[in-house]
Amino acid sequence: MSSDQAGHRARPALAGLLDEATRLLGGDDPARVADLLHEAVLGGLDPDDTTVLRSVIGLVRALNDSSVEDGAVPLPRSGLQPVADRALVVTVNQDGTIAIAPDALHDVLGYPVSAVPPRSIGDLVHPHDRPALQRAFASLAAAPGSQVQVDARVRHADGRWLVLAISMVNLLETTGINAVVAHGHNVTEKRAADRALAVERARLRELVLHLAGGVVVDDGYRVLLDNTAFDRIFRPGRAVTGATVAELLDLIASECADPVLAWETLDRMVRSGTVHRAVRLALAGGRVATCDLVPLRASSSMGTLWYFRDITRESVARSELEETNRALEEAANLKSRFVATVSHELRTPLTAVLAFAEMLEDCPDPLSAQQAAHLAVISRNANRLLRLVDDLLLLSRLETNQLSMSFTDIDVADLVAKATENHVPIGARAGISVTASVGTGPRIHGDPARLTQVLDNVLTNALKFTTTGGAVRVSAKADQASWTIAISDTGIGVPAADLPGLFEAFTRASNAGAAGIPGSGLGLSICKQIVAVHQGAMTIESTEGVGTTVRVTLPAGPGADDAEVDTGRQADGGNGIGEGIGTGGMGRR
C-alpha cells in the first residue's frame, strides 16, 4: 500500500484520533496515548503513518500545555449547558474541507454526535472573524511546517459565540497527513476577563495621569507608570517609565537641596515596606514637596505607589502666617503689659487723690459751698477713673488667663435675689421699679463674687439706660441642665446695627453717647468672659426705644468643696483687682 493510499484511508479517522490523544494528554496519561497509537496501527495505519501521527500528537501536546487555562470554565448564564474544558482538533484539507471528531464537536460546541459535521470551518466562524482566519491560513499554507495562532468566535449549538484560541500547523507536505491541523481551546471567559482588566487598567492610567500631584508606580524593580505632574515637579528631562527604582531615587535626590540626605531618607522608606505620609522634601531653589509612599500588596509585594505634591506656595503662606501670628501675639502681649503697667501706675496717684479728698471733707474748718462742690467733682471723677483702671486691669487678666477664681457651690436663687435687693433702693431714687421672679433649681459650681459682679453690672446698666417711670424685671428659671437669668428693662434700647459688637471691649451703643450717658464700654466684655469661664453663655436682645433683655445661662454642675480655679498660670496678685466686686464698679455699656 502506497503512502498516498494510506494517507487517504487514514485522513477520515485522523481528527478523531488526534482529539482523543489530546484529551488523554490533557489528563497527563502518556501510557494510554501509546496504547492509542498501537490500536491505530492495528486498525490499518502503517508504521510510517503512526510516526507522523506521533509527531503531530507531540506538537498538539506542546500547544495544549501552553494554552490550557488554570481552573474550570464557569457555568454559563440563563441555564445554558457548560462548555467542556477540552480541545477541539480539526484537520483542514487543501480544498478547505474539514474533519472533526463528532464527540469533540458535541463536547465543545454542543452539536449532537449524530449531526452532519460542517464541511468548511467558515460555516462555524463568526463572519467578522473569517477574514483574519483566512489570512492566517493563507500565510500558513505558504510556509510548510510553520504554525500560527489566532482567536476566532465560533458558534455554539445554543447560539452563543465562543472565543477559541486556534493554533494551526502546516502539515500539507507531510506524508499521510496532507492537511493543516488546527487545535482550538475555549478562551471565552479569559478573553472577557482580559478585556475587563484592560478597561480597568485604562481607567486607572487616566486617573493617575490627571491627578494634580506627581504619581509614580513601580513593581518593586522598575517604574511602570508616571504622570506629567511628576515631570513638572522633578523635571527629569527623560522618560521615567522603565527606569529602575534605584534610578528613580537618584533622579528625585538630584533635585533636592541635600541629595545624600534625600536619597538615604527615600531608600529607608522604600526598604521599610510601610506606609509613609507627607514626608517633606526640600528641593533645590527653595521649593518644598511632600511624598506619600504606599506599598502595594495582595498575597505578596506588588511594588509601590509614590505620590508627590509641590507645597512651595503653601509652605511660604504658612511661614508668613506663622510670622504674622507671632507678631500679633507679641503685640497683644505688649498691649496687655502696657495696660497693666499704666493702670497700676495710674491707680496709685488716684488713690492718693481720693484719700486727700476725704481728708478735706473731714477738715475741722468748714468748706464753703463752692469748695464743697469742687471737692465733690474731684471725688466723683477720681472714683470714675479708679473704676476704669480696675476694669482695665481685670480685662487684661481675663484676656491673658491670669485671673484666679474661687469656685464653690452656689445657690443661684439666693444670689439673684440678693443682687436684685441691692438695686431696689437705687431704682427707687430714680423712680424705676425693680422686681424679681426667682424659681428653684439645682446648685451650680462657680465663683459667687464674680457672678455677683456680672449681675451688678447688668442691673446697673438696666437702671442707667431706663428713664423715670420705667421698670427693670429680673427672672431666674432652672431646668435639670442649667439656670437662665434674664434682666429686662424698658430703657432706650440698642440700635440693631450695634448689637453684634456690643460684647467687644470699648464698644458702646451709638445712642448711649448721643444721650450723654457715661461709660467705658468694658462692662459687658468683662461679664461675657467671666460667664465663659463658668462654661456659660451670655446674649442680648434689644429694640431701640422699647428696651433690652440680657440673658445669662449657667450650666448646673455637681457640688464640690471650695477650690481655687486659676484661669492661667498666675493667681490674682492683688493690685486692687477685686476691690470693685459686688459694688457695680465695672465700666458700663
Side-chain angles (χ1 to χ4, degrees):
M1 181 176 61
S2 68
S3 297
D4 289 343
Q5 291 174 329
H8 178 76
R9 190 179 63 187
R11 191 172 297 112
L14 183 58
L17 290 172
L18 287 173
D19 180 67
E20 179 66 12
T22 302
R23 184 180 66 80
L24 293 171
L25 289 170
D28 199 14
D29 191 357
R32 184 68 185 90
V33 174
D35 293 341
L36 178 68
L37 294 177
H38 180 67
E39 292 174 5
V41 173
L42 295 179
L45 292 179
D46 60 25
D48 291 337
D49 293 331
T50 304
T51 300
V52 171
L53 184 60
R54 190 186 300 276
S55 300
V56 173
I57 289 176
L59 179 59
V60 170
R61 181 171 188 175
L63 292 172
N64 191 53
D65 290 342
S66 65
S67 60
V68 173
E69 305 300 325
D70 294 334
V73 177
L75 292 175
R77 299 183 180 88
S78 304
L80 299 175
Q81 294 299 315
V83 176
D85 186 20
R86 61 177 296 183
L88 181 68
V89 180
V90 181
T91 58
V92 184
N93 302 313
Q94 291 179 335
D95 58 3
T97 58
I98 61 175
I100 307 176
D103 58 341
L105 193 64
H106 171 266
D107 291 343
V108 178
L109 298 181
Y111 292 96
V113 176
S114 60
V116 178
R119 290 186 53 79
S120 171
I121 193 67
D123 296 339
L124 296 175
V125 176
H126 193 285
H128 291 172
D129 294 344
R130 290 173 190 167
L133 189 62
Q134 290 170 351
R135 287 193 296 271
F137 184 84
S139 173
L140 181 75
S146 63
Q147 66 183 60
V148 295
Q149 183 167 325
V150 64
D151 283 0
R153 284 168 290 179
V154 178
R155 185 186 296 277
H156 191 272
D158 59 21
R160 286 177 293 163
W161 291 101
L162 303 182
V163 179
L164 299 187
I166 301 174
S167 297
M168 295 184 290
V169 184
N170 184 344
L171 299 176
L172 291 170
E173 297 186 2
T174 302
T175 303
I177 303 297
N178 306 114
V180 170
V181 178
H183 170 273
H185 189 80
N186 180 24
V187 293
T188 306
E189 298 293 337
K190 181 180 184 304
R191 294 297 185 261
D194 289 343
R195 287 193 298 272
L197 180 60
V199 170
E200 291 303 319
R201 284 178 174 172
R203 289 175 179 170
L204 177 60
R205 182 176 182 84
E206 286 298 311
L207 175 64
V208 168
L209 291 177
H210 290 88
L211 284 175
V215 177
V216 174
V217 181
D218 67 64
D219 60 1
Y221 179 64
R222 289 191 178 276
V223 174
L224 301 176
L225 180 66
D226 69 294
N227 66 353
T228 55
F230 176 82
D231 296 338
R232 288 196 301 270
I233 295 172
F234 293 99
R235 300 188 290 268
R238 62 183 178 85
V240 177
T241 300
T244 64
V245 173
E247 291 171 339
L248 177 65
L249 292 180
D250 291 339
L251 185 153
I252 297 172
S254 66
E255 283 294 319
C256 294
D258 188 340
V260 175
L261 177 61
W263 197 96
E264 292 175 350
T265 300
L266 293 171
D267 184 59
R268 283 196 302 271
M269 290 164 57
V270 172
R271 292 179 183 277
S272 70
T274 59
V275 176
H276 296 269
R277 300 288 188 188
V279 178
R280 291 174 66 91
L281 298 175
L283 305 182
R287 294 184 301 135
V288 181
T290 59
C291 173
D292 292 345
L293 208 65
V294 182
L296 305 176
R297 294 188 182 91
S299 58
S300 61
S301 177
M302 298 169 58
T304 308
L305 169 69
W306 308 62
Y307 184 70
F308 299 90
R309 286 196 315 115
D310 189 332
I311 61 167
T312 304
R313 291 183 179 178
E314 293 92 327
S315 181
V316 171
R318 186 180 299 110
S319 298
E320 293 176 348
L321 180 60
E322 291 173 353
E323 184 63 29
T324 301
N325 288 339
R326 282 194 295 269
L328 290 174
E329 184 178 357
E330 184 177 349
N333 292 335
L334 181 62
K335 182 207 73 173
S336 298
R337 291 196 300 269
F338 172 77
V339 170
T341 301
V342 171
S343 299
H344 185 270
E345 293 302 321
L346 284 175
R347 200 173 195 286
T348 301
L350 284 173
T351 303
V353 170
L354 288 171
F356 279 102
E358 291 176 0
M359 289 174 61
L360 286 174
E361 289 179 355
D362 296 335
C363 183
D365 297 330
L367 299 175
S368 65
Q370 185 179 20
Q371 289 173 333
H374 291 171
L375 185 59
V377 172
I378 292 173
S379 297
R380 184 171 63 253
N381 285 281
N383 277 302
R384 182 180 174 186
L385 284 174
L386 187 58
R387 288 194 300 269
L388 177 60
V389 168
D390 287 343
D391 286 348
L392 286 172
L393 285 170
L394 179 58
L395 182 62
S396 176
R397 286 181 176 273
L398 283 169
E399 288 180 343
T400 56
N401 297 322
Q402 294 179 353
L403 179 66
S404 64
M405 295 188 184
S406 297
F407 274 53
T408 186
D409 281 351
I410 300 175
D411 184 344
V412 177
D414 182 63
L415 186 78
V416 173
K418 288 181 178 179
T420 305
E421 290 174 2
N422 291 338
H423 289 78
V424 169
I426 302 174
R429 288 195 295 270
I432 303 170
S433 66
V434 179
T435 58
S437 173
V438 181
T440 59
R443 299 171 72 87
I444 69 170
H445 200 58
D447 185 328
R450 295 299 180 190
L451 292 178
T452 299
Q453 185 178 7
V454 171
L455 296 176
D456 284 345
N457 180 80
V458 178
L459 281 165
T460 301
N461 275 346
L463 291 170
K464 183 168 61 173
F465 291 100
T466 302
T467 58
T468 301
V472 174
R473 294 179 296 275
V474 181
S475 68
K477 298 179 181 179
D479 55 28
Q480 293 182 347
S482 63
W483 275 88
T484 300
I485 305 167
I487 301 174
S488 303
D489 63 58
T490 58
I492 64 174
V494 179
D498 297 339
L499 282 174
L502 209 56
F503 286 110
E504 297 179 5
F506 304 104
T507 300
R508 302 186 69 212
S510 57
N511 57 347
I517 301 174
S520 65
L522 293 175
L524 289 178
S525 177
I526 293 173
C527 288
K528 187 167 186 178
Q529 294 195 51
I530 291 175
V531 172
V533 172
H534 287 77
Q535 306 299 313
M538 191 171 179
T539 61
I540 184 168
E541 299 174 3
S542 185
T543 302
E544 189 174 7
V546 176
T548 301
T549 298
V550 176
R551 287 187 175 83
V552 177
T553 303
L554 298 169
D561 296 334
D562 289 357
E564 288 289 331
V565 178
D566 194 346
T567 61
R569 292 169 294 181
Q570 300 179 6
D572 186 354
N575 297 331
I577 296 302
E579 294 179 8
I581 295 176
T583 64
M586 287 192 294
R588 311 296 173 216
R589 119 172 155 250

